[in-house]
Amino acid sequence: MVNIKLVVVGKLKEQFHKDACNEYLKRLSRYAKVSIFEVEDEKIKDNSSYKEDLMVLDKEGKRILKQVKENDYVILLDLHGVEESSEKFAKRLDMLIGGNSSNITFVIGGSLGLSQEVITRSNFRLKLSPMTFTHQMTRIIILEQIYRAFKINGNENYHK
Amino acid sequence: MVNIKLVVVGKLKEQFHKDACNEYLKRLSRYAKVSIFEVEDEKIKDNSSYKEDLMVLDKEGKRILKQVKENDYVILLDLHGVEESSEKFAKRLDMLIGGNSSNITFVIGGSLGLSQEVITRSNFRLKLSPMTFTHQMTRIIILEQIYRAFKINGNENYHK
């Protein structure tokens, strides 16, 4: 069974996000072994300097990379990435799984984004939207897209 | 206070979606009067014909249009619409509110999308992503974007 890992910065705060996340993990369990690694987020000052922001990104980035194994295929959720339709994303996952990338790791950064080190390590940068979503919501959205991808690839009905 | 209306096809099924929706309605209440009008969705057969699908869209579309007033500025959530950043979307809302469009109506279609009649009535078609989201999640996402827009327009901090 394919291993899918989500490495995320910060915890889910709202109960409804936790419930949504758990629901999609349950649905996904038929198709893949999905696990979530939450790494600690840094406190961000309201009027932080550019240098302070870079330090936050660096610290969070190092924590992210600790969770990434050498052979992982790393997909970043990234506002500067490439957009694709659910169908194209499904095909991408299908090819990765068929091509023996049995460890697919999605990375969702914190409020400030991702460090250069994490960007350099990544294999693909996926943009969900030109809109900024909360990183909590991004977690739910990508889980739903992964679930949708398995449904599309299995030619299963999916009406919601 | 500006009136924002969401006209949506179908009900939220999951409790976590209802909770998320209520949370954003609560947060938005500081900025606008936001109300949600749920119109009934049609049952879709698994192997429905093109003609049957058009009939579904037509029926749902007529129910949507019943909730739309003559002076409403209608924004469709539409996979064939235009994408924009959260900042640009915030500016759009700000201009609409400043320009006396005191009734802004967002429309989220059902599983099959929107009828031509609804598309023709609309003033702007907004695409969140090339990915297909569930219409339940679309509701939460647009509420969060509207909330984010008020935060952006008021120069308020928003770190999540």
Side-chain angles (χ1 to χ4, degrees):
Chain A
M1 208 177 213
V2 59
N3 283 305
I4 293 176
K5 208 157 63 181
L6 262 74
V7 182
V8 296
V9 176
K11 289 188 190 306
L12 294 180
K13 287 174 199 158
E14 317 284 356
Q15 188 58 44
F16 54 77
H17 280 137
K18 293 179 191 168
D19 292 343
C21 183
N22 288 334
E23 173 64 25
Y24 282 108
L25 288 178
K26 201 175 81 188
R27 291 188 196 176
L28 274 163
S29 63
R30 283 180 51 204
Y31 303 100
K33 195 175 157 293
V34 184
S35 34
I36 296 187
F37 295 80
E38 285 180 341
V39 307
E40 201 195 337
D41 51 345
E42 286 291 301
K43 253 212 144 72
I44 302 157
K45 293 188 217 157
D46 268 349
N47 291 305
S48 60
S49 68
Y50 178 65
K51 208 179 149 191
E52 286 170 319
D53 285 353
L54 281 184
M55 274 175 60
V56 166
L57 288 182
D58 185 59
K59 280 186 188 169
E60 292 178 346
K62 291 211 168 4
R63 288 176 200 145
I64 290 169
L65 291 175
K66 261 195 190 159
Q67 304 299 332
V68 174
K69 298 242 171 72
E70 206 187 322
N71 293 321
D72 288 4
Y73 186 93
V74 177
I75 299 178
L76 293 190
L77 280 291
D78 184 349
L79 263 175
H80 303 287
V82 175
E83 291 187 312
E84 51 191 14
S85 67
S86 299
E87 288 71 23
K88 202 167 165 204
F89 175 69
K91 202 165 276 174
R92 177 179 301 283
L93 277 196
D94 202 38
M95 281 172 59
L96 284 172
I97 294 167
N100 286 323
S101 288
S102 54
N103 291 300
I104 305 170
T105 297
F106 291 86
V107 173
I108 302 171
S111 309
L112 297 180
L114 296 153
S115 70
Q116 191 53 50
E117 208 178 351
V118 175
I119 293 169
T120 305
R121 170 60 185 87
S122 71
N123 299 95
F124 182 65
R125 298 163 74 183
L126 175 68
K127 174 177 170 177
L128 293 178
S129 167
M131 289 180 153
T132 310
F133 297 150
T134 69
H135 52 96
Q136 310 203 49
M137 233 180 243
T138 301
R139 197 188 304 191
I140 315 300
I141 294 171
I142 194 63
L143 283 173
E144 197 271 334
Q145 287 301 312
I146 298 169
Y147 177 66
R148 184 181 292 267
F150 282 109
K151 290 290 211 185
I152 291 171
N153 291 334
N155 286 315
E156 297 177 53
N157 260 320
Y158 185 46
H159 265 324
K160 43 177 283 187
Chain B
M1 208 178 216
V2 59
N3 282 305
I4 294 176
K5 208 157 62 179
L6 262 72
V7 182
V8 295
V9 176
K11 290 187 189 307
L12 294 181
K13 287 174 199 160
E14 318 282 358
Q15 188 59 44
F16 55 76
H17 280 138
K18 293 178 191 167
D19 292 343
C21 183
N22 288 335
E23 173 64 26
Y24 282 107
L25 287 178
K26 201 174 83 188
R27 292 189 195 175
L28 274 163
S29 63
R30 283 180 49 206
Y31 303 99
K33 195 176 158 292
V34 183
S35 34
I36 296 187
F37 295 81
E38 285 180 341
V39 307
E40 200 196 338
D41 50 347
E42 285 291 301
K43 253 212 145 69
I44 302 157
K45 292 187 219 161
D46 268 350
N47 291 306
S48 59
S49 67
Y50 179 67
K51 207 177 148 191
E52 285 169 321
D53 285 353
L54 281 184
M55 275 173 60
V56 165
L57 289 181
D58 185 61
K59 279 184 187 170
E60 291 178 348
K62 293 211 166 5
R63 288 175 200 146
I64 290 169
L65 292 175
K66 262 194 189 159
Q67 304 299 332
V68 174
K69 298 244 172 73
E70 206 185 321
N71 292 321
D72 289 3
Y73 186 93
V74 177
I75 299 178
L76 294 191
L77 279 292
D78 184 347
L79 262 174
H80 304 286
V82 176
E83 291 188 312
E84 51 191 14
S85 67
S86 299
E87 288 71 23
K88 200 166 167 204
F89 175 69
K91 200 165 279 175
R92 178 179 299 284
L93 276 194
D94 202 39
M95 280 172 60
L96 283 172
I97 293 167
N100 286 324
S101 288
S102 54
N103 292 300
I104 304 169
T105 297
F106 291 86
V107 173
I108 303 171
S111 308
L112 297 180
L114 296 154
S115 70
Q116 192 52 52
E117 209 178 352
V118 175
I119 292 169
T120 305
R121 169 61 184 86
S122 71
N123 300 95
F124 181 65
R125 298 162 73 183
L126 175 68
K127 173 177 169 177
L128 293 178
S129 167
M131 289 180 153
T132 310
F133 297 150
T134 69
H135 52 96
Q136 308 203 51
M137 233 180 239
T138 301
R139 198 189 303 190
I140 315 300
I141 294 171
I142 194 65
L143 284 173
E144 196 271 335
Q145 288 301 314
I146 298 169
Y147 177 67
R148 184 182 291 267
F150 282 110
K151 291 290 211 182
I152 292 171
N153 291 335
N155 285 317
E156 297 177 51
N157 260 319
Y158 185 46
H159 264 322
K160 45 178 283 190

